[in-house]
Amino acid sequence: DAMVIQNPRYQVTQFGKPVTLSCSQTLNHNVMYWYQQKSSQAPKLLFHYYDKDFNNEADTPDNFQSRRPNTSFCFLDIRSPGLGDAAMYLCATSGRGKGTEAFFGQGTRLTVV
Amino acid sequence: LAKTTQPISMDSYEGQEVNITCSHNNIATNDYITWYQQFPSQGPRFIIQGYKTKVTNEVASLFIPADRKSSTLSLPRVSLSDTAVYYCLVVFSGGYNKLIFGAGTRLAVHP
C-alpha cells in the first residue's frame, strides 16, 4: 500500500500559470520534504516541514511556496512556472528520532509549455 | 552536514558483487550513514543505514571503518534489476533527518 502519495503523476502547465502539486501520507510522520529533481541530477531539497515549522533552503526560488494544512497533507505551489521549472518533484516523509528512514512518493513530473 | 563523495558511475555484470565507496571526511559524532537507491522515474528508496562496523540486511551490507570517514555499500550477486543510482547520505541523528543528496553513483549491470 502506498504510504506517500503524490498527485498527479504527470502535470502539464502553461508558462506563468500557477500550479499546485499535492502530497499525502498515511505514516503520521512529523517531517515532510519537497525535492526538485531534474534529468540526470540528484534530488535537490527545496524545503521541509517539521510539524508545522517551515524550513526553506537558502537557494529555493521565491517562486516556490509550500503549505502544510495538517499532518497528512503538503502542497507545493509554483506561482509562475518557467521553462526551467520543468522537473520531477518528489515528496518525502520521515519520523523523528535517530536515523529514521525517509519514504518517498512516486513523484510528479511537471512539464511547462 | 557532512559532504559526501562517491564515484559518478560504475559498471558490473550479473552475479558479481558490487562495492560502492563513499567518503564523508567531516562526519560528526551523531551522524548516521544512509544509502538510498533510485530507479528512473521513481522516488529514492531506503536501502540500509549504519553508524559503525558492519550492518547487513536482505538487500545489502554496509561496512564502516572505525574512523567513520568512509563507508562501503556492498551488493551481493547483482542482477539487471539492480541498475539504478545509489546515493550515500550522512544524516544527523539528533533530532530529525534533513536529507541532502550528493551526486550519487550510477550503477549499470550488464548481462
Side-chain angles (χ1 to χ4, degrees):
Chain A
D1 290 336
M3 295 176 285
V4 181
I5 301 164
Q6 292 188 242
N7 283 306
R9 288 293 310 278
Y10 301 92
Q11 175 76 56
V12 180
T13 191
Q14 290 181 326
F15 183 94
K17 184 176 180 181
V19 64
T20 295
L21 310 182
S22 74
C23 176
S24 64
Q25 57 139 334
T26 59
L27 299 161
N28 204 36
H29 279 164
N30 300 92
V31 191
M32 293 188 79
Y33 311 80
W34 279 106
Y35 289 86
Q36 178 193 63
Q37 187 173 28
K38 296 188 176 180
S39 182
S40 300
Q41 295 183 20
K44 178 178 179 297
L45 182 64
L46 295 174
F47 21 61
H48 68 283
Y49 282 90
Y50 181 70
D51 291 327
K52 285 193 175 294
D53 292 335
F54 176 71
N55 298 274
N56 200 30
E57 292 302 296
D59 57 354
T60 298
D62 292 340
N63 199 24
F64 291 84
Q65 313 243 305
S66 182
R67 296 170 282 137
R68 188 179 186 186
N70 53 52
T71 301
S72 300
F73 287 88
C74 197
F75 300 97
L76 171 61
D77 301 309
I78 308 176
R79 287 193 296 186
S80 182
L83 298 179
D85 296 326
M88 174 77 87
Y89 289 88
L90 294 162
C91 173
T93 74
S94 74
R96 184 171 52 181
K98 65 179 178 183
T100 54
E101 70 178 268
F103 294 83
F104 283 78
Q106 292 278 60
T108 294
R109 183 166 298 282
L110 179 69
T111 300
V112 182
V113 298
Chain B
L1 293 170
K3 180 178 161 63
T4 59
T5 304
Q6 310 171 226
I8 296 291
S9 64
M10 293 181 71
D11 287 275
S12 184
Y13 293 91
E14 284 190 288
Q16 290 188 332
E17 178 184 77
V18 171
N19 296 309
I20 306 174
T21 297
C22 177
S23 67
H24 26 78
N25 291 319
N26 297 324
I27 192 168
T29 303
N30 289 332
D31 291 340
Y32 274 68
I33 297 137
T34 307
W35 287 79
Y36 283 79
Q37 175 192 55
Q38 186 177 27
F39 298 114
S41 298
Q42 293 188 25
R45 182 177 74 107
F46 172 90
I47 303 176
I48 197 166
Q49 179 170 258
Y51 184 80
K52 61 181 178 180
T53 62
K54 177 183 173 183
V55 179
T56 297
N57 62 21
E58 64 279 4
V59 176
S61 295
L62 179 59
F63 298 91
I64 306 167
D67 67 4
R68 303 197 334 119
K69 292 185 185 297
S70 67
S71 58
T72 299
L73 175 73
S74 182
L75 305 172
R77 296 180 299 281
V78 294
S79 64
L80 297 177
S81 63
D82 293 315
T83 294
V85 180
Y86 292 82
Y87 294 100
C88 164
L89 287 79
V90 171
V91 178
F92 175 61
S93 71
Y96 65 94
N97 309 313
K98 180 176 172 178
L99 302 180
I100 302 295
F101 286 80
T105 297
R106 191 170 296 273
L107 173 67
V109 180
H110 305 280

